[in-house]
Amino acid sequence: MERYDNNNHDENQIDEINLKDDEPQTRYERREADPGLTKPNQPSKKKKEAKPKRSGAGVLFGGLIGGIVAAVVVVLLFTNNIIPLNNNNAGNSSSTQDSGTPEIAQTVATGNTDIASNIEEVSKAVVGITNLQQKSAWEPSQKVGSGSGIIYKKEDGKAYVVTNHHVVEGAKEVNVVLNNDDRIKAKVLGSDPLTDLAVLQIDGKKIETVAKLGSSEDVKVGETVIAIGNPLGMNFANSVTKGIISGKERSVSIDINKDKQPDWVTEVLQTDAAINPGNSGGALVNSDGEVIGINSMKIAKEAVEGIGFAIPIDTAIPIMKQLENEGEVARPYIGISTASLQQVPVQYRGQIELPKDVKGGMVVAGVQPGSPAAESGLQQFDIITKINGQQITSILDLRKYLYTETKIGDTVEMEVYRNGKAQTIELTLVEREPQQQ
C-alpha cells in the first residue's frame, strides 16, 4: 500500500483532487472572493430592520448580572476541582505557593512518625554491654571493651539479652547498661563462637520494654532497615543509622582461632546502614520496628564503605534457645584434632602418603581417648578425604557437613588414607561435651 503524501503533487493537482466536482466560479471564490461580496448576477438581499437601542442603565444592569453569574460559575469549577489550582505549576517541584508541597510534607511526616514511634520503642530494648576482665589476681576487673545487646524476653522476674560472642569473650564480669544509664550485673548463660552469639540473664525489675522479634526470611533486597546500637561506647548510646538490605544469604568465612584458616562460614544479611565498633550485638530493625538481624561485623578496609553484616534472626533464634536452656549448642563430636596438608610440619610430612590423583584432605593430628574417633580406630597421620561420599579438603568442609547435614546419634562413613592405601571407617557421632572441640 502506498502512503498518500500531499508533497507528491503540485498545487493545481491538489486543488483538482479536492475540488474536481466544484464549479469554476466556486473554485475562484475560494481563492479570490471576499466573503462580504455577493456573487455575480445574484439579487441583493434586503437590509435588516434596525433593532431598538437599549438604555444605558439596562446595559449596565445586564452586564452586572452576567459578571456575577460568571464569577459564581468559576468559583464552582474551582471548588469542585474541575479546574485545578496552579495547573501551570503541576510539574514544577520547586513551587512553594499553593503547590503539592504541603501534601508531600504531610505524607513524609506521617510515615516518619510511624517509624519513629516503632524505632523509639525498640531502642529502649537495645542495651549496652561492658566486658570487664581481670589482668592479674592483684588488680580489680577493668573494662576492656563494650558492645550492644537486645532484650528479647522477660519471664519470672528475669530478662534475657542476646549479644555477640565476641562482645563477652573472656569476660570476668559483664554489665548491662540500660538506656537510662542504669547498670545491671549480668550472668552469661551461654556463648557460641561459631555463630558468634551469646545469651545473658539480668534482673528484670527495671526492664519495661522487650524487643519484638520479626522474621528475616521475607526480607527483600532494597528494604529499608535501621541499625541501633552503641558505636564507640556508651557516649553514643542508642545511636540510630538508616540504610537498606544490600544482600541476602551472604557467606562470610570466620577465623576463630586466628590461625589465618577459616573455621566456619556464616550466612548473614548485608546492609549499608552504618555499623561501627560498639554496634556489635545491636539490632537491625525493619520499618515496623521488628528485629530482623543482630549486627555482628563489617568489612574494615580503607577502600570499603558501607558493607556491614547482621546474623539473620531466623538463624539466631534456635541458637538463642539452646544457649538459654542448655548453655551451649549441641553439635556432633568426633574427637580429633586436624590440620590441612599444607599445615603439617616438614619433619612429619614423610608420614603422609597419598596417591597422585588425591589432591586434598584433612590430616588427623591427634585422637581424643574414649572418643568416637578412638573407638573407630582412627590414628594419627590418617588422612580424611571423604565423609558419607562428600569431599573433605579442610576443617571447614568437615565442620560444615557434620553440623548441617548430620545429627547426634548418626553413623557416618569416612574414607581415609593410611600408608597410601584407602580405608573405610564407620563411627557414631556423640554430643560434644563442654570444653571439647
Side-chain angles (χ1 to χ4, degrees), residues 40-195:
N41 303 324
Q42 185 175 359
S44 61
K45 296 181 180 179
K46 293 182 180 181
K47 293 183 179 181
K48 295 182 179 179
E49 296 181 1
K51 295 183 180 180
K53 296 183 178 180
R54 300 176 64 182
S55 65
V59 172
L60 180 60
F61 182 75
L64 183 61
I65 295 298
I68 293 173
V69 171
V72 171
V73 170
V74 171
V75 170
L76 289 174
L77 290 174
F78 278 120
T79 56
N80 287 278
N81 204 31
I82 296 174
I83 299 178
L85 289 170
N86 292 322
N87 189 51
N88 292 335
N89 292 330
N92 187 358
S93 60
S94 63
S95 176
T96 58
Q97 295 182 353
D98 296 328
S99 67
T101 302
E103 182 179 354
I104 293 173
Q106 183 180 7
T107 301
V108 172
T110 300
N112 279 349
T113 299
D114 292 339
I115 294 176
S117 176
N118 292 327
I119 299 306
E120 183 179 4
E121 288 299 312
V122 75
S123 292
K124 297 176 183 177
V126 177
V127 296
I129 308 291
T130 57
N131 183 325
L132 305 175
Q133 296 184 14
Q134 194 173 21
K135 295 183 178 180
S136 73
W138 309 103
E139 297 178 5
S141 297
Q142 297 179 358
K143 177 182 173 182
V144 297
S146 65
S148 306
I150 308 166
I151 303 173
Y152 69 92
K153 178 181 176 182
K154 182 179 178 181
E155 185 178 83
D156 298 329
K158 302 293 184 181
Y160 299 85
V161 180
V162 61
T163 186
N164 289 141
H165 164 80
H166 72 262
V167 171
V168 298
E169 185 177 12
K172 177 71 174 180
E173 183 180 341
V174 175
N175 288 335
V176 169
V177 185
L178 306 183
N179 63 349
N180 61 1
D181 208 34
D182 283 345
R183 296 171 185 266
I184 306 174
K185 188 174 181 179
K187 177 183 178 182
V188 180
L189 295 181
S191 188
D192 184 54
L194 287 186
T195 57

Side-chain angles (χ1 to χ4, degrees), residues 148-150 162-164 196-198 213 268-269 275 279-284 291-297 309-313 316-317 320:
S148 306
I150 308 166
V162 61
T163 186
N164 289 141
D196 196 23
L197 290 171
L213 304 184
V268 292
L269 298 172
I275 297 177
N279 275 118
S280 292
L284 189 68
V291 177
I292 59 170
I294 300 171
N295 300 324
S296 180
M297 66 191 94
F309 302 105
I311 303 167
I313 197 64
I317 288 175
M320 291 157 57

Side-chain angles (χ1 to χ4, degrees), residues 150 236 258 392:
I150 308 166
F236 298 98
K258 311 302 180 185
I392 299 297

Side-chain angles (χ1 to χ4, degrees), residues 185-234:
K185 188 174 181 179
K187 177 183 178 182
V188 180
L189 295 181
S191 188
D192 184 54
L194 287 186
T195 57
D196 196 23
L197 290 171
V199 171
L200 317 178
Q201 184 186 76
I202 60 175
D203 190 335
K205 291 179 181 178
K206 297 182 178 181
I207 305 304
E208 298 179 353
T209 305
V210 174
K212 181 180 180 182
L213 304 184
S215 174
S216 53
E217 182 179 358
D218 299 327
V219 170
K220 296 180 180 178
V221 174
E223 180 178 337
T224 300
V225 289
I226 308 293
I228 308 174
N230 308 300
L232 306 181
M234 298 308 298

Side-chain angles (χ1 to χ4, degrees), residues 339-417:
S340 66
L341 292 171
Q342 294 75 20
Q343 291 176 313
V344 176
V346 176
Q347 62 268 32
Y348 297 113
R349 290 184 182 176
Q351 304 283 344
I352 299 172
E353 294 182 40
L354 275 178
K356 293 182 179 181
D357 58 341
V358 178
K359 302 300 182 182
M362 290 303 299
V363 180
V364 177
V367 178
Q368 183 74 25
S371 67
E375 293 178 359
S376 68
L378 271 176
Q379 299 178 11
Q380 188 182 40
F381 299 118
D382 282 350
I383 304 168
I384 303 171
T385 55
K386 292 181 181 179
I387 179 170
N388 286 347
Q390 182 72 30
Q391 193 77 31
I392 299 297
T393 60
S394 66
I395 187 62
L396 181 60
D397 291 341
L398 183 60
R399 281 177 174 163
K400 192 169 184 180
Y401 184 84
L402 286 176
Y403 298 165
T404 61
E405 302 296 332
T406 68
K407 61 182 183 296
I408 297 168
D410 285 354
T411 297
V412 297
E413 186 176 272
M414 287 187 172
E415 179 185 89
V416 301
Y417 280 83

